[in-house]
Amino acid sequence: MSDNTYTPPSVWKWEPGNGGKFANINRPIAGPTHDKALPVGKHPLQLYSLATPNGVKVTVMLEELLEKGVTGAEYDAYLVQIGEGDQFSSGFVEVNPNSKIPALMDHSTTPPQRVFESGAILLYLAEKFDAFLPKDPAKRTECLSWLFWQMGSAPMLGGGFGHFYAYAPEKYQYPIDRYTMEVKRQLDVLDRHLAENRFMAGDEYTIADIAIHPWYGALVKNRVYEAAEFLEAHTYKNVLRWTEEIDERPAVKRGRMVNRTWGEPHEQLHERHDASDFELRTQDKLDVQ
């Protein structure tokens, strides 16, 4: 253990810019920092997001619905640059008072319905379009159990392990050890379950898979935090098998591109307003215009 131990004061005080990748946007209060209305496109469903794992859940869900021929799931996806504080605009806070992506407005209802929290958005869309949620009560319950498992577990992965392993300004053994142990336990939970199940709720691909794959599939394939070797991801063979099968789904490939601003230009679709955008408006195409 380091000798640089921290003794908390009687009352904590905020010190802006106290280090770390997200220090410029982190703050201990809610509410907007500036006035700015959100754009509204031509489709009933308006998504405001970024292609983080939580954002990818919803774009994959929408693309999966469209892949099934659900025309009512057509959507506009607008980019929210969380590193620049877009999530603190007055318009965004009206859609999500928690100032986190993704956020959805459904203009097909009167009045328009806001939906925030990625798990709530998946469930809302599944019920609205009667898709990717089992009808059998037992299987539905299993699906929802795994959906809420993801919502409860991922903060340990992202805010815990990911923060201290990849983003914290200094590396400390205790928090890295603590969260590594928990993430490996979670991967073992998944691996044991997937040893006996093709998908999270059995043989049927559901919103549970759509929720879990962008986090844990990305982790074992080294797409987040560059920690696959550190975590010995290759040992979770059932998670890898499940991940690789889902990776091949056309809707998943498209959904991972939407609101993406990093990686290869041909894999970036900053905004999505039409199915043709995947062919015509990826960043490699726009860069040469």
Side-chain angles (χ1 to χ4, degrees):
M1 294 294 292
S2 169
D3 291 334
N4 298 323
T5 55
Y6 169 66
T7 302
S10 298
V11 178
W12 180 84
K13 289 183 171 54
W14 178 36
E15 295 181 8
N18 60 350
K21 182 175 180 180
F22 302 105
N24 65 317
I25 59 168
N26 288 338
R27 60 195 184 113
I29 55 175
T33 60
H34 58 285
D35 289 328
K36 185 178 180 180
L38 291 177
V40 178
K42 62 183 179 180
H43 300 300
L45 297 177
Q46 299 291 298
L47 179 67
Y48 306 96
S49 192
L50 183 69
T52 66
N54 284 334
V56 167
K57 295 177 197 175
V58 178
T59 50
V60 166
M61 177 64 170
L62 290 165
E63 292 297 328
E64 289 282 13
L65 289 165
L66 293 170
E67 187 79 10
K68 283 176 66 73
V70 181
T71 57
E74 271 291 355
Y75 68 104
D76 293 278
Y78 288 97
L79 182 63
V80 177
Q81 293 279 28
I82 61 175
E84 298 176 11
D86 290 353
Q87 69 275 32
F88 299 118
S89 73
S90 57
F92 192 91
V93 172
E94 286 179 5
V95 182
N96 185 356
N98 196 38
S99 291
K100 302 290 184 181
I101 62 95
L104 180 76
M105 284 296 296
D106 182 357
H107 291 270
S108 71
T109 68
T110 304
Q113 177 68 54
R114 75 178 186 184
V115 197
F116 57 92
E117 290 297 325
S118 57
I121 296 173
L122 292 183
L123 183 56
Y124 178 83
L125 293 172
E127 292 183 332
K128 179 180 180 71
F129 296 113
D130 192 24
F132 302 111
L133 185 61
K135 293 180 174 57
D136 176 78
K139 292 181 179 179
R140 175 189 169 92
T141 301
E142 182 77 1
C143 170
L144 293 180
S145 292
W146 284 111
L147 173 66
F148 286 101
W149 176 89
Q150 186 279 318
M151 297 297 292
S153 296
M156 300 290 281
L157 169 53
F161 174 77
H163 176 79
F164 287 105
Y165 181 81
Y167 300 139
E170 297 175 319
K171 300 287 192 281
Y172 292 103
Q173 183 176 352
Y174 175 77
I176 291 175
D177 282 352
R178 170 67 182 88
Y179 288 111
T180 298
M181 177 173 61
E182 174 60 16
V183 168
K184 286 181 71 68
R185 188 194 69 80
Q186 293 175 0
L187 286 169
D188 195 41
V189 169
L190 290 174
D191 203 61
R192 290 168 184 263
H193 179 70
L194 290 167
E196 300 178 355
N197 296 274
R198 180 182 175 190
F199 296 115
M200 294 309 303
D203 291 333
E204 185 178 351
Y205 176 76
T206 70
I207 55 174
D209 302 284
I210 295 171
I212 295 169
H213 176 263
W215 278 105
Y216 295 89
L219 184 67
V220 298
K221 297 298 284 186
N222 212 37
R223 294 195 286 257
V224 292
Y225 311 134
E226 297 184 350
E229 180 181 5
F230 181 73
L231 294 168
E232 296 182 293
H234 68 280
T235 64
Y236 302 100
K237 298 187 183 302
N238 300 305
V239 179
L240 283 165
R241 184 269 309 159
W242 167 83
T243 298
E244 288 164 1
E245 179 174 356
I246 293 175
D247 276 352
E248 291 304 309
R249 296 179 69 91
V252 172
K253 293 179 180 179
R254 294 195 303 273
R256 287 176 54 204
M257 295 169 62
V258 179
N259 298 143
R260 185 178 178 89
T261 61
W262 57 90
E264 294 296 326
H266 72 276
E267 296 177 340
Q268 298 181 34
L269 183 61
H270 291 188
E271 291 191 359
R272 188 268 190 212
H273 303 288
D274 187 83
S276 65
D277 290 347
F278 292 99
E279 296 295 327
L280 303 177
R281 299 193 60 80
T282 51
Q283 204 57 30
D284 59 319
K285 306 286 197 317
L286 298 181
D287 285 345
V288 298
Q289 291 182 2

